[in-house]
Amino acid sequence: MDTLSRFSKHTISLHWLIAFAMIGSLAFGVYLEEMPRSADKGLLMGIHKSVGVFILLFALYRIVHRLRNKLPPPVTITPLWQQKFANLAHIFLLAGTVFMPVSGIFMSIGGGYPITVFGLELIPAGEGNELIANIGGAIHGLGAKLLILTVVLHVLGTLKHHFIDKDGTLKRMLGARV
């Protein structure tokens, strides 16, 4: 159970697993976007999509876990605007772990491609639908940029708490009691 002074190992594990997976997937996606169309890009895109499906599954589980445990309270009293901004950022980060994979799935289905996880076909290829592909692409593209910005702000906020406020926020997320 999460408390003000300490998060459970379960909460911490879910946070870091999804954080590293999302950051890696965002970076990998930016790399893929710059690659010219090729067989290698297709292979790498398959890996990106497979990881995205796993992120979606873990993200859905994490959201259920977060709903049961609520958003983490601040370790120290902070101005109301900072609390609201932090809560909004946390909600957006949680939502992003769902809307990025789902929009990627829309892109694939809309493009007439199957949904596979490391070669195992979950949803077969269909005729495709340009509108669905375009909506998925727009959400995926804009969402990636907004998520990268939010991750940067989240990290900067964490560093502020650690080095300026010295309030134990980062220590709590690393498993220490504050």
Side-chain angles (χ1 to χ4, degrees):
M1 186 74 173
D2 296 338
T3 66
L4 178 63
S5 64
R6 190 174 194 154
F7 286 146
S8 70
K9 289 180 182 177
H10 191 74
T11 295
I12 294 167
S13 298
L14 282 171
H15 173 272
W16 290 111
L17 173 74
I18 292 176
F20 286 124
M22 281 300 294
I23 291 168
S25 210
L26 285 165
F28 196 46
V30 169
Y31 172 75
L32 287 171
E33 193 174 340
E34 300 301 317
M35 273 184 88
R37 194 178 281 255
S38 68
D40 287 342
K41 182 176 182 172
L43 177 67
L44 294 175
M45 189 65 73
I47 294 169
H48 179 71
K49 292 177 183 183
S50 296
V51 170
V53 170
F54 279 109
I55 289 172
L56 177 60
L57 295 174
F58 278 103
L60 292 172
Y61 176 73
R62 183 167 187 240
I63 288 171
V64 169
H65 175 72
R66 181 52 55 219
L67 289 171
R68 288 183 181 156
N69 288 281
K70 309 290 181 238
L71 285 171
V75 175
T76 57
I77 296 173
T78 57
L80 185 60
W81 72 268
Q82 284 183 20
Q83 289 177 29
K84 288 185 180 287
F85 188 78
N87 284 343
L88 184 64
H90 283 117
I91 290 167
F92 186 75
L93 289 169
L94 283 169
T97 61
V98 172
F99 73 70
M100 286 303 290
V102 169
S103 63
I105 290 169
F106 276 34
M107 288 170 59
S108 285
I109 290 172
Y113 298 103
I115 304 300
T116 61
V117 175
F118 298 112
L120 176 65
E121 190 172 82
L122 301 179
I123 301 172
E127 291 183 29
N129 181 306
E130 190 175 347
L131 179 62
I132 290 174
N134 289 339
I135 291 170
I139 293 169
H140 210 68
L142 179 61
K145 290 169 182 60
L146 292 173
L147 263 177
I148 290 168
L149 174 64
T150 307
V151 167
V152 168
L153 292 173
H154 183 65
V155 170
L156 289 173
T158 301
L159 294 174
K160 176 210 171 266
H161 279 285
H162 189 70
F163 292 110
I164 295 171
D165 301 342
K166 300 180 193 249
D167 65 5
T169 297
L170 178 60
K171 290 179 181 177
R172 178 174 70 171
M173 203 64 240
L174 293 173
R177 185 175 298 279
V178 294

